[in-house]
Amino acid sequence: MLNFYGIKNCHSVKKSQEFLKNEKIEFEFFDIKKLDEKTFDFWIGKRKYY
């Protein structure tokens, strides 16, 4: 199963979801505007600055 992160109303995201559905690729969509605080903090904690 593919984890798919994006913005629900984005045209490119909609096209990508349609492609995945047509190809019968299972995915779970996560709207990044609605991420919970724990997930957001995890992502920020993993960011590296070079």
Side-chain angles (χ1 to χ4, degrees), residues 26-43:
E26 292 185 32
F27 67 94
E28 183 174 0
F29 179 73
F30 297 92
D31 189 340
I32 61 172
K33 288 186 173 185
K34 296 181 181 180
L35 284 179
D36 61 273
E37 187 174 342
K38 183 179 177 183
T39 302
F40 182 76
D41 287 343
F42 174 77
W43 281 4

Side-chain angles (χ1 to χ4, degrees), residues 1-47:
M1 163 111 32
L2 176 71
N3 288 337
F4 188 122
Y5 296 88
I7 298 172
K8 183 179 177 182
N9 295 327
C10 174
H11 181 69
S12 295
V13 168
K14 289 179 181 180
K15 286 174 62 176
S16 298
Q17 286 179 314
E18 191 63 30
F19 171 81
L20 293 171
K21 288 175 186 175
N22 289 340
E23 296 297 317
K24 297 181 178 35
I25 298 172
E26 292 185 32
F27 67 94
E28 183 174 0
F29 179 73
F30 297 92
D31 189 340
I32 61 172
K33 288 186 173 185
K34 296 181 181 180
L35 284 179
D36 61 273
E37 187 174 342
K38 183 179 177 183
T39 302
F40 182 76
D41 287 343
F42 174 77
W43 281 4
I44 297 300
K46 295 291 184 180
R47 182 178 290 171

